[in-house]
Amino acid sequence: MKHDLKNIRDVSDLPGQAPIKWRGMPGLWALIATLAAIAWPPLILTLPLMPPSQIMPGFDMDWRLQVLIAGVIAVPLGMYMLARERDRSGSPSTRLGVIWRFLLYGGLLAALLQVLTALVMTGMRWVEAGALAQSLGAAETTLLIFGVAGLPLAMLIGLSYALWAGLCVALIAFTPRPPPVRPRAGLLDSEGV
């Protein structure tokens, strides 16, 4: 371990800090990375072992299918946003930067979807209730269950999925960029010829 630490001279020597570029044919590798990122192992392994009881779209749908649907939509959208940002500003320029982008946007998406679910469920319970006191009690219970108790769990699942997706994209779609070639003194100088 000490030998490895002696070779670190600056931040660029740390893992994940090497400059990157799109791998070979960007379209093909981006597609492979997207498919691998969508196939989060906890979802793919548990669906055949424990088949979902409710597959119809709605709030009663199995949570694994809801997360998989969110991944099918979010991962290609994240890849598109990543490609657009790289074309515009050149960043993220490292694998670690790609992973951090996926973690940031994945965590925000998970929180947003859970808050949206809590609000919609609260509205549905409010409409179903007959009296004002009953509707207030239903709203309170729904917000406590889906908002307070559900948000940390949704964030944990969303960040785990986003970390997996970021790792897949960073390792499959990108390759280290070779360092720029610096001209030696006198070789490219017009006076040295």
Side-chain angles (χ1 to χ4, degrees):
M1 183 70 179
K2 286 186 176 181
H3 180 67
D4 293 339
L5 293 176
K6 288 181 181 179
N7 293 332
I8 297 176
R9 291 180 295 271
D10 60 358
V11 175
S12 64
D13 292 335
L14 293 171
Q17 294 295 321
I20 56 171
K21 64 176 184 159
W22 289 101
R23 189 180 295 269
M25 298 181 343
L28 173 67
W29 289 106
L31 177 64
I32 293 170
T34 301
L35 292 175
I38 291 170
W40 187 39
L43 294 179
I44 302 304
L45 295 175
T46 59
L47 281 173
L49 295 175
M50 296 176 288
S53 59
Q54 181 65 290
I55 58 172
M56 296 303 294
F59 289 107
D60 294 335
M61 178 187 246
D62 189 278
W63 69 270
R64 296 169 297 169
L65 293 176
Q66 291 177 356
V67 170
L68 191 60
I69 290 170
V72 166
I73 296 169
V75 170
L77 183 63
M79 288 286 291
Y80 171 75
M81 289 172 54
L82 184 72
R84 198 175 80 187
E85 183 180 358
R86 279 187 58 85
D87 289 342
R88 188 177 61 239
S89 65
S91 66
S93 59
T94 64
R95 285 185 168 153
L96 191 59
V98 171
I99 294 168
W100 276 112
R101 293 300 193 284
F102 270 87
L103 278 173
L104 173 69
Y105 295 132
L108 289 174
L109 179 65
L112 178 72
L113 289 176
Q114 186 62 30
V115 167
L116 184 65
T117 300
L119 292 176
V120 169
M121 293 295 287
T122 302
M124 289 173 55
R125 299 297 182 255
W126 186 275
V127 171
E128 291 173 359
L132 179 63
Q134 186 180 8
S135 61
L136 288 174
E140 176 192 14
T141 304
T142 305
L143 283 175
L144 282 174
I145 292 171
F146 288 98
V148 176
L151 188 60
L153 184 61
M155 290 292 298
L156 180 67
I157 292 170
L159 287 172
S160 298
Y161 199 160
L163 178 61
W164 168 261
L167 284 169
C168 287
V169 170
L171 295 174
I172 296 173
F174 293 98
T175 186
R177 182 176 41 189
V181 178
R182 295 189 179 117
R184 292 187 192 169
L187 289 180
L188 297 179
D189 191 8
S190 59
E191 297 172 0
V193 176

